[in-house]
Amino acid sequence: MKDADANTSQLNVLQQKLYSARQALDEMSEDQNEKLQLLLQFIAQLSLACKGQNVELDNKLAKLRHKLTRFNQIDDAVPDLNDINAILKLQYSRVTQQLDESRGSLTNIINHLQQVESIPTKLKKEISFFKKELTKPFHTYWDYIPSVNKIVQFYDEVLAEKVLQGDQFKVLPRHRKSAQELSQMLSEIEFRKEQRDLISTIKKSLIEDFELDTLLNAYQVVLGLLLDNIAKEKTASQAFLFVLNDTLTNVRDVVTDSYTHTIKSFQVSKQLNREMNNQVDNVSESIAEINDINQLKTQVSVQLSALRSALNLKEALEAKEQIKLKASVEALRVELNDLSKETETFKKRLFEQQKLNRLDALTQLPNRSALEERMEIEYRNYQRTKHPLWVAVADIDYFKSVNDSYGHSTGDKTLQVIAMALKNSLRDTEFVARFGGEEFVLLLPNVEDDDIKPLLNRVREKVKNIPFKFKDQKITITVSIGAARIVENELISETFERADAALYKAKHESRDRVIIDL
Ligand SMILES: Nc1nc2c(ncn2[C@@H]2O[C@H](COP(=O)(O)OP(=O)(O)OP(=O)(O)O)[C@@H](O)[C@H]2O)c(=O)[nH]1
């Protein structure tokens, strides 16, 4: 019994131990299951992160993720795991190969980039350093992507540089406008004879397609010529002023000399007069007490001889004075004569310059500033007399095509011939100026309403009948004319605007015609 009890109690202990051991085992297995679950979730997440590299891999991984959600079917997933393992190995070698190929492509791109000229030195150095770095293999895409970014950045910088350079040298509409204005200005400025060929070459270079450099050079050369002219003008004025100054100094010296001399002579002469007076006094005194006639004769003769000597001295002095004065006057006359000649030349130069400033260099017609002056004069006359005054604006038709077809210098000659024709078709009291380009302005005083159209039609016909011949081709050139008569309370500038509007109409009514604004 005692033994049975002992056995029972031992069995209980064992049972208890077994129970504890099972509990511990259950707990362990639960813990392992949790960890395994976590691992499976991690594998699922990782498989998601691998998505997109390879379609086959993506499908396998999707299947695996599905199986891994069902814990009890985990054994089914083993073949999939093996497949995926194999694909992953293949994928890795494929990625490595791809990365190598991409590195080769990037090196090619860099080689191309290095061939671009005018890359700033700093950027050039960066590019060749980067090229050296590219010789090291990429291990992952994360090595590759920054390199692509770097190349994009290089391209961006090179492009920015190019765009900058391109903008700098591109001829824009505003440059074309400046070229046109410069060309126009060159036609209005009078240059020296030896400068004219250069100016005409510059004008030609500004017409067709030109580079920005040509325009800049043109400005530089023109500026140089103008400065040279100003310097020459200044030198001429200075030379004249030096001559003037020298002459005035000489004249002053001569005058001062002769003044000093005159004072001295005056003093000597005064002294001689005094001496002569004294001698006359002496004569009266010395003869007052003489009774003897012979003694008197002797005394008078002595006194007279002294007086004669004094007079001779005075005469000699005066003669010397005369010679000196004559010489001074002659010197003065020569100096003033030279100065007058010099002044005359200078005046002529000024006058010529003034005249040139009012003449259009190409056509030799009065220019715009001369026109403005004449308009004022005619306007004042009109206000005083109320006689009719007409303003007409004439413009050559399709002149651009003359330039385009036969060249700019033919265009220039055409302008000269037409300008002469216009001038010759007017009376002396009438006036024509080159307003600019291929436009001329006529001022016609004292023409009645009925006469203006025939008059301007004669002018138009005169131009039309000029037998132009370019490149063996007979060409007819026409002009369109618009005219207006000044009316009460109107400014002449307003009359001009009406004439210009009439010209616009003439141009639109197929040109070669006269339109009067009534
Ligand atoms: N040769 C030369 N051409 C000039 C001069 N001044 C202006 N021109 C040219 O005159 C032409 C004027 O052209 P547009 O204003 O288009 O007029 P257009 O061809 O005469 O045509 P319409 O006036 O409409 O009949 C431009 O080609 C100018 O370059 C100059 O001094 N010499």
Side-chain angles (χ1 to χ4, degrees):
M1 189 64 181
K2 218 176 167 186
D3 284 348
D5 281 352
N7 283 342
T8 309
S9 120
Q10 215 170 354
L11 205 66
N12 279 344
V13 170
L14 277 174
Q15 220 169 12
Q16 191 59 44
K17 274 189 183 165
L18 192 67
Y19 177 75
S20 298
R22 176 168 296 159
Q23 219 173 8
L25 197 68
D26 280 353
E27 272 172 22
M28 234 171 74
S29 140
E30 205 175 314
D31 182 48
Q32 262 187 349
N33 277 348
E34 263 175 33
K35 282 184 182 150
L36 189 64
Q37 193 74 43
L38 196 68
L39 199 63
L40 293 178
Q41 274 174 14
F42 177 74
I43 291 173
Q45 286 303 324
L46 201 63
S47 81
L48 273 175
C50 289
K51 209 173 156 189
Q53 293 192 38
N54 176 324
V55 184
E56 192 190 357
L57 188 63
D58 285 353
N59 289 338
K60 291 270 180 204
L61 287 173
K63 222 163 128 192
L64 180 71
R65 276 195 302 277
H66 181 68
K67 286 189 177 161
L68 292 184
T69 53
R70 281 171 287 156
F71 198 50
N72 50 356
Q73 291 178 10
I74 194 108
D75 285 345
D76 295 353
V78 174
D80 290 318
L81 280 173
N82 283 334
D83 284 355
I84 290 171
N85 209 7
I87 296 174
L88 277 176
K89 261 192 205 155
L90 201 67
Q91 178 65 11
Y92 179 72
S93 70
R94 222 183 268 161
V95 166
T96 319
Q97 191 192 343
Q98 230 172 36
L99 283 174
D100 253 357
E101 283 169 12
S102 304
R103 199 160 53 87
S105 307
L106 293 188
T107 312
N108 284 343
I109 293 174
I110 283 294
N111 287 341
H112 284 148
L113 200 59
Q114 281 184 317
Q115 282 164 17
V116 177
E117 279 171 22
S118 69
I119 298 181
T121 324
K122 188 170 166 265
L123 188 58
K124 249 186 205 159
K125 278 186 187 156
E126 277 182 45
I127 292 175
S128 60
F129 177 75
F130 176 77
K131 194 176 164 186
K132 265 189 213 138
E133 288 292 297
L134 266 188
T135 53
K136 298 177 193 160
F138 295 144
H139 298 291
T140 65
Y141 286 123
W142 304 112
D143 292 339
Y144 169 68
I145 292 172
S147 299
V148 174
N149 279 347
K150 192 79 193 159
I151 289 190
V152 171
Q153 188 194 326
F154 285 150
Y155 261 87
D156 195 36
E157 284 181 43
V158 171
L159 205 66
E161 190 69 24
K162 281 268 152 201
V163 166
L164 203 72
Q165 287 173 1
D167 263 1
Q168 233 175 355
F169 295 110
K170 204 170 151 199
V171 176
L172 302 172
R174 67 188 158 91
H175 297 134
R176 266 183 241 292
K177 191 159 172 271
S178 302
Q180 240 175 24
E181 284 170 1
L182 179 61
S183 183
Q184 183 71 37
M185 241 158 51
L186 293 180
S187 307
E188 286 168 14
I189 298 171
E190 177 66 16
F191 284 92
R192 291 205 314 276
K193 223 181 206 143
E194 64 273 21
Q195 296 174 330
R196 286 186 197 147
D197 282 349
L198 181 56
I199 289 296
S200 126
T201 316
I202 291 175
K203 271 173 76 182
K204 269 184 219 150
S205 73
L206 295 175
I207 292 162
E208 309 289 307
D209 279 345
F210 59 84
E211 311 242 308
L212 202 55
D213 263 0
T214 315
L215 180 61
L216 293 179
N217 280 344
Y219 272 117
Q220 197 183 7
V221 173
V222 170
L223 204 62
L225 292 179
L226 288 177
L227 285 176
D228 190 36
N229 287 355
I230 291 171
K232 279 211 164 69
E233 212 44 57
K234 200 172 143 204
T235 316
S237 306
Q238 266 174 352
F240 171 71
L241 287 176
F242 281 137
V243 170
L244 183 69
N245 189 46
D246 282 355
T247 312
L248 289 178
T249 313
N250 287 345
V251 169
R252 189 201 58 202
D253 290 350
V254 170
V255 170
T256 316
D257 261 13
S258 102
Y259 176 73
T260 327
H261 197 78
T262 310
I263 300 246
K264 269 193 200 151
S265 310
F266 179 69
Q267 281 165 351
V268 173
S269 176
K270 234 165 105 182
Q271 176 66 26
L272 283 173
N273 283 346
R274 250 199 316 270
E275 278 175 20
M276 277 162 49
N277 275 335
N278 285 345
Q279 275 173 1
V280 171
D281 287 348
N282 285 347
V283 173
S284 16
E285 269 174 36
S286 57
I287 60 170
E289 287 153 24
I290 295 176
N291 295 322
D292 176 37
I293 185 82
N294 285 331
Q295 205 184 349
L296 181 69
K297 271 184 189 169
T298 314
Q299 189 62 33
V300 167
S301 146
V302 169
Q303 295 298 343
L304 278 178
S305 139
L307 262 175
R308 202 167 295 121
S309 316
L311 265 175
N312 282 345
L313 212 62
K314 201 175 171 212
E315 240 171 50
L317 186 75
E318 277 170 359
K320 210 171 137 196
E321 203 51 42
Q322 275 291 320
I323 291 166
K324 189 112 188 174
L325 195 66
K326 223 169 140 190
S328 297
V329 169
E330 182 55 22
L332 269 182
R333 202 185 58 78
V334 170
E335 288 288 347
L336 291 175
N337 208 17
D338 287 351
L339 182 63
S340 146
K341 270 189 209 148
E342 205 66 44
T343 313
E344 208 46 51
T345 323
F346 192 68
K347 249 165 64 185
K348 246 191 221 153
R349 277 174 61 84
L350 277 181
F351 181 69
E352 282 303 315
Q353 200 57 43
Q354 249 178 355
K355 224 171 70 181
L356 287 175
N357 286 344
R358 298 185 171 279
L359 281 189
D360 168 53
L362 180 71
T363 60
Q364 296 297 303
L365 283 187
N367 62 14
R368 208 159 159 163
S369 83
L371 170 70
E372 276 161 21
E373 194 176 272
R374 183 66 177 249
M375 267 181 160
E376 264 178 44
I377 295 171
E378 294 296 349
Y379 184 59
R380 265 186 261 125
N381 279 348
Y382 159 77
Q383 283 179 318
R384 200 166 32 82
T385 62
K386 297 294 173 206
H387 289 163
L389 171 64
W390 292 86
V391 177
V393 188
D395 187 282
I396 306 175
D397 296 326
Y398 303 116
F399 188 60
K400 188 172 180 305
S401 67
V402 174
N403 275 334
D404 291 348
S405 315
Y406 306 103
H408 200 257
S409 63
T410 305
D412 277 357
K413 281 183 199 116
T414 310
L415 276 171
Q416 287 169 331
V417 174
I418 292 179
M420 266 311 106
L422 291 175
K423 192 176 161 114
N424 292 339
S425 62
L426 299 181
R427 285 183 291 192
D428 283 350
T429 50
E430 295 163 347
F431 177 88
V432 57
R434 185 178 179 204
F435 188 66
E438 18 67 271
E439 203 168 68
F440 301 87
V441 174
L442 291 76
L443 296 179
L444 309 159
N446 301 324
V447 180
E448 294 305 328
D449 287 4
D450 289 347
D451 298 332
I452 189 70
K453 196 153 187 174
L455 185 160
L456 290 175
N457 266 325
R458 273 199 305 279
V459 172
R460 184 183 58 77
E461 283 294 328
K462 181 144 191 163
V463 173
K464 195 173 180 175
N465 290 330
I466 301 173
F468 284 111
K469 202 170 180 189
F470 306 140
K471 292 186 185 164
D472 275 341
Q473 245 183 304
K474 283 187 180 161
I475 304 288
T476 302
I477 293 182
T478 60
V479 287
S480 298
I481 306 177
R485 179 184 160 168
I486 191 160
V487 291
E488 199 63 47
N489 298 327
E490 188 180 46
L491 293 174
I492 196 158
S493 55
E494 292 166 330
T495 322
F496 175 87
E497 273 164 30
R498 286 193 295 115
D500 203 33
L503 166 69
Y504 186 77
K505 265 193 207 159
K507 286 274 179 188
H508 279 80
E509 287 182 15
S510 75
R511 296 171 176 82
D512 185 23
R513 63 191 53 225
V514 173
I515 296 230
I516 310 289
D517 177 89
L518 287 172

